[in-house]
Amino acid sequence: MVFNDHAKLKGQHAFLGASKYSWINYDPEKVGIAYRNFLATARGIALHDFAATCIKLGQKLPRSKKTLNSYVNDAIGFRMKPEQVLYYSDNCFGTTDAICFDGHMLRVHDLKTGVVPAHMEQLLVYNALFCLEYHQDPEKIEIEDRIYQNDDVIVAVPNPEDIRAIMNKIVTFDKIIQNIKNEVA
């Protein structure tokens, strides 16, 4: 048999594809909800890409309380770097939406485009990863985290002890995972 050529689809996945087969148990209402969530995720990715481009170019947006505008303008104002990877190991790394460090103050900003309430824990992990990668003592620097969502800005000054605890977990859990990898290799 000669199969049809679908080279343009190689590496892609359809919403109603075989690899994510749980949709076969959906009713029409649930498939509609799931697809709307899928579209929202795609929109969020596009908005993050747009915001990162604006920040890299220094292109401010019209002054407004709108989430995207506030996020972009604040990141430019604080001279932040968008989409920066923070790396501890192959087992633990993450990409911040925007970050800057001037030797004294670490700022991490996160853009949330969905409706699910954001949690500051994600930013605490970024703080810990930054301190581990760049050998910073969380007790000796200032840290401010911000979440931009639903036309609001949540500002937090994390407790250095909380960041230290996450740093310790990263180190400990990374060793556990690495030992398991070595056992199965």
Side-chain angles (χ1 to χ4, degrees), residues 90-126:
D90 287 349
N91 301 317
C92 189
F93 58 89
T95 304
T96 64
D97 289 346
I99 189 171
C100 66
F101 182 65
D102 65 6
H104 310 292
M105 168 72 90
L106 172 64
R107 292 183 180 279
V108 178
H109 293 185
D110 199 47
L111 174 63
K112 297 294 185 193
T113 58
V115 294
V116 175
H119 293 277
M120 204 54 76
E121 289 86 353
Q122 179 181 356
L123 280 70
L124 296 178
V125 173
Y126 291 141

Side-chain angles (χ1 to χ4, degrees), residues 48-163:
H48 274 82
D49 290 346
F50 174 75
T53 299
C54 288
I55 295 166
K56 286 176 192 168
L57 295 173
Q59 179 61 56
K60 288 192 171 187
L61 298 177
R63 192 175 187 152
S64 155
K65 290 252 184 213
K66 294 283 186 191
T67 299
L68 182 67
N69 297 42
S70 296
Y71 167 76
V72 167
N73 294 343
D74 286 354
I76 292 169
F78 287 120
R79 295 185 174 99
M80 300 180 84
K81 180 170 171 79
E83 301 298 320
Q84 177 61 47
V85 173
L86 297 174
Y87 180 88
Y88 177 71
S89 74
D90 287 349
N91 301 317
C92 189
F93 58 89
T95 304
T96 64
D97 289 346
I99 189 171
C100 66
F101 182 65
D102 65 6
H104 310 292
M105 168 72 90
L106 172 64
R107 292 183 180 279
V108 178
H109 293 185
D110 199 47
L111 174 63
K112 297 294 185 193
T113 58
V115 294
V116 175
H119 293 277
M120 204 54 76
E121 289 86 353
Q122 179 181 356
L123 280 70
L124 296 178
V125 173
Y126 291 141
N127 299 156
L129 285 168
F130 172 83
C131 289
L132 286 165
E133 181 172 0
Y134 296 99
H135 309 288
Q136 294 294 317
D137 184 339
E139 289 87 1
K140 294 184 179 176
I141 63 173
E142 294 180 56
I143 301 173
E144 181 182 279
D145 294 328
R146 294 185 181 191
I147 294 176
Y148 294 76
Q149 184 177 31
N150 298 325
D151 298 337
D152 194 18
V153 181
I154 301 165
V155 180
V157 176
N159 181 332
E161 293 172 3
D162 294 338
I163 295 168

Side-chain angles (χ1 to χ4, degrees), residues 4-67:
N4 296 330
D5 180 15
H6 299 291
K8 68 179 182 180
L9 299 176
K10 190 167 184 121
Q12 297 185 40
H13 296 276
F15 183 77
L16 300 177
S19 62
K20 293 185 180 182
Y21 59 85
S22 60
W23 60 266
I24 64 175
N25 298 312
Y26 292 178
D27 61 26
E29 182 180 347
K30 184 156 183 176
V31 79
I33 291 168
Y35 190 69
R36 280 184 178 76
N37 289 339
F38 169 78
L39 291 176
T41 299
R43 182 178 186 275
I45 291 168
L47 286 171
H48 274 82
D49 290 346
F50 174 75
T53 299
C54 288
I55 295 166
K56 286 176 192 168
L57 295 173
Q59 179 61 56
K60 288 192 171 187
L61 298 177
R63 192 175 187 152
S64 155
K65 290 252 184 213
K66 294 283 186 191
T67 299

